[in-house]
Amino acid sequence: MQQPEARAERPGLRPEQPETRPERKDRTGQPEARPAGSRALQNRQRILAVAQAELIRDPAATMDDIARAAGVVRRTLYGHFPSRDALIDGLSGLAGAEAHAALERSRRPHEAPDLALARALLAAFAVGDQWRLLMTVDECASPQGDRGLVTALDPSLTFITDLLEQGQRQDLFPDHLPPAVLTRLLMSSVITLLQALNDGLLPTDGAAAATARACLVVVGVSPERAAALVREAAAG
């Protein structure tokens, strides 16, 4: 009887040994946990939701505090997020995804770039207002400051840069600075104004419109035109 053909084996790998993938690491250099399965995903999402609420309530909340609030044991929490920095990264990624989704929802076909930018700024502020305390938490959590949050916002920054490029081509925005630089100025302005909200320096009433107007002025729109654009965008 003909024997089955033996399977070729990779050198140094016994049949019972599974091939391993390269280990991913978080920004602290620690191995990044990769739980799999729908239950694990649900646990991760619940942990992030609870962590957001706990850190808004108390920016100094510990991993133990968050595990208790989420109703999970420490091993489960650390299985998803091996460090507090990894948890903050997870929250930053969630905030960035929500911001980009809000910008995409703000799109209107064939809308002028200056009005589209006003609409995008209002949409971004609505998300930023929900996540603004994360900036303080992220800055305190890591020597890298808010770089994790900034990295998570990369798709949103690309969205804004594209609008600025279109607006400059149509002479709606001045071209005294490249669009990518203007985007950085906008990001800094939004973060500063959100921090002012955290510190009680900016009234919450009308803060979204004030932020959008200020950002439009930063990129070269006149205050009068900025106010008109924000009113039109807010009206729908």
Side-chain angles (χ1 to χ4, degrees):
M1 178 181 298
Q2 185 177 2
Q3 296 296 322
E5 183 179 352
R7 291 186 301 174
E9 297 179 4
R10 299 188 183 184
L13 189 67
R14 297 197 305 271
E16 67 273 14
Q17 288 181 305
E19 182 178 0
T20 58
R21 298 179 180 178
E23 187 177 66
R24 296 175 58 187
K25 296 185 178 181
D26 64 20
R27 68 181 182 184
T28 68
Q30 298 299 315
E32 183 180 276
R34 292 181 296 177
S38 59
R39 184 174 179 180
L41 179 59
Q42 291 172 359
N43 282 340
R44 178 185 174 89
Q45 291 172 336
R46 187 176 77 255
I47 289 169
L48 285 174
V50 170
Q52 180 190 7
E54 286 297 299
L55 290 170
I56 287 175
R57 181 185 63 80
D58 177 13
T62 66
M63 294 286 276
D64 285 347
D65 294 333
I66 292 167
R68 282 193 296 271
V72 299
V73 298
R74 284 168 51 93
R75 186 173 69 177
T76 298
L77 176 60
Y78 281 97
H80 289 277
F81 305 103
S83 67
R84 195 171 190 272
D85 279 346
L87 177 61
I88 300 302
D89 277 345
L91 288 169
S92 297
L94 184 58
E98 289 186 5
H100 186 59
L103 292 180
E104 288 292 339
R105 289 193 299 270
S106 77
R107 287 185 186 272
R108 300 290 187 277
H110 313 299
E111 188 166 64
D114 54 354
L115 180 56
L117 180 58
R119 196 182 306 282
L121 289 166
L122 290 173
F125 183 89
V127 175
D129 190 35
Q130 297 173 5
W131 288 93
R132 54 190 165 93
L133 288 180
L134 181 60
M135 294 183 299
T136 302
V137 173
D138 196 23
E139 185 175 357
C140 295
S142 168
Q144 298 187 54
D146 61 2
R147 286 182 59 189
L149 183 57
V150 171
T151 299
L153 291 174
D154 276 348
S156 298
L157 300 183
T158 300
F159 183 104
I160 298 298
T161 300
D162 289 345
L163 287 179
L164 290 168
E165 287 178 347
Q166 295 171 31
Q168 285 187 347
R169 287 196 300 268
Q170 298 177 31
D171 293 326
L172 295 172
F173 304 127
D175 58 0
H176 58 295
L177 288 172
V181 176
L182 289 175
T183 299
R184 295 290 186 93
L185 287 176
L186 284 182
M187 181 184 70
S188 298
S189 298
V190 171
I191 289 176
T192 298
L193 291 166
L194 288 172
Q195 189 61 61
L197 270 177
N198 283 347
D199 297 339
L201 300 176
L202 182 66
T204 56
D205 187 26
T211 297
R213 289 195 303 269
C215 288
L216 288 169
V217 171
V218 163
V219 300
V221 178
S222 72
E224 296 78 12
R225 176 62 177 158
L229 288 169
V230 172
R231 284 195 300 270
E232 185 175 353

